[in-house]
Amino acid sequence: HANTLSLHDALPISTANPSEVKILNAIEDARLPSNSEKVMAGAYSPDLPSSDVVIKYNTKTADITALEPELRQHIEYLQLIKDDFDAGGKLYQKLYSNVPSGKMLTADKAGIHAEVLATNEVVKQLKVAGKFNGIQDLNKIKVLVKGKVSSRGLENMCRCPHCFQIIDGVKILGNQ
């Protein structure tokens, strides 16, 4: 495996669930995120059994206009909340429940995180296969998010407030 850290011991993934094992193995075999990327995500849908796991990395240069409409629908609203926070505002306290300011600090621009980018690619695949008919079909997708958060290597990551809203319905493995 490409990663020196075995993730199998660190995840509450069911070894009886082939799609979860497939995602874990793909993450283990992928290149580690760079220092600027920090986070990687693997996304997969059991509704597309012959497809590969999509691996994506955080990138500040992601084109959010390329996101599928179902994922793009709340981007402007979420970015308004982030812009208000960056300007010293407290709008997030009224519009999000139980989101600490630290989460808002790390949230960055809405729609550019690895889990959204990977989910977007799987949504496209499901649409081509005629198996994605609306936002409710996000529940056909499973995502594992791993990030460099310490010297211990890759660890499970929780979604930022933006990603939580954008891909609500996706099954996040390990952490919500």
Side-chain angles (χ1 to χ4, degrees):
H1 291 296
N3 296 344
T4 57
L5 171 70
S6 175
L7 303 176
H8 279 92
D9 299 329
L11 282 179
I13 287 183
S14 169
T15 54
N17 187 319
S19 61
E20 292 182 12
V21 171
K22 184 173 183 170
I23 296 169
L24 176 62
N25 287 337
I27 289 277
E28 285 186 332
D29 290 341
R31 71 169 176 82
L32 290 169
S34 69
N35 287 336
S36 64
E37 294 166 331
K38 295 185 179 110
V39 177
M40 64 191 302
Y44 175 75
S45 176
D47 286 35
L48 303 167
S50 63
S51 69
D52 291 328
V53 173
V54 174
I55 302 289
K56 292 290 183 178
Y57 300 85
N58 279 9
T59 174
K60 293 187 183 294
T61 60
D63 178 8
I64 58 172
T65 63
L67 293 174
E68 292 298 296
E70 297 84 357
L71 301 184
R72 208 175 49 237
Q73 64 182 345
H74 300 300
I75 296 277
E76 288 181 27
Y77 172 73
L78 298 169
Q79 194 57 51
L80 171 81
I81 297 168
K82 174 64 171 156
D83 291 345
D84 175 75
F85 173 82
D86 289 346
K90 305 271 188 220
L91 195 55
Y92 79 99
Q93 293 175 338
K94 291 178 175 61
L95 300 174
Y96 289 144
S97 59
N98 301 316
V99 174
S101 62
K103 277 287 189 187
M104 289 302 296
L105 277 172
T106 59
D108 215 332
K109 182 178 169 187
I112 65 169
H113 285 167
E115 57 267 44
V116 171
L117 301 175
T119 297
N120 191 62
E121 293 306 309
V122 176
V123 167
K124 288 178 184 178
Q125 293 173 4
L126 286 165
K127 284 181 175 181
V128 168
K131 296 181 178 185
F132 193 92
N133 300 304
I135 197 82
Q136 72 281 358
D137 286 334
L138 284 176
N139 68 1
K140 296 179 177 181
I141 301 171
K142 297 180 179 194
V143 176
L144 175 59
V145 185
K146 290 292 197 178
K148 290 180 179 180
V149 293
S150 72
S151 60
R152 294 187 303 265
L154 292 179
E155 294 183 6
N156 290 357
M157 299 286 295
C158 292
R159 290 174 287 176
C160 79
H162 303 322
C163 294
F164 185 88
Q165 298 296 325
I166 295 168
I167 60 173
D168 190 28
V170 166
K171 180 176 183 195
I172 300 295
L173 306 177
N175 277 333
Q176 285 295 320

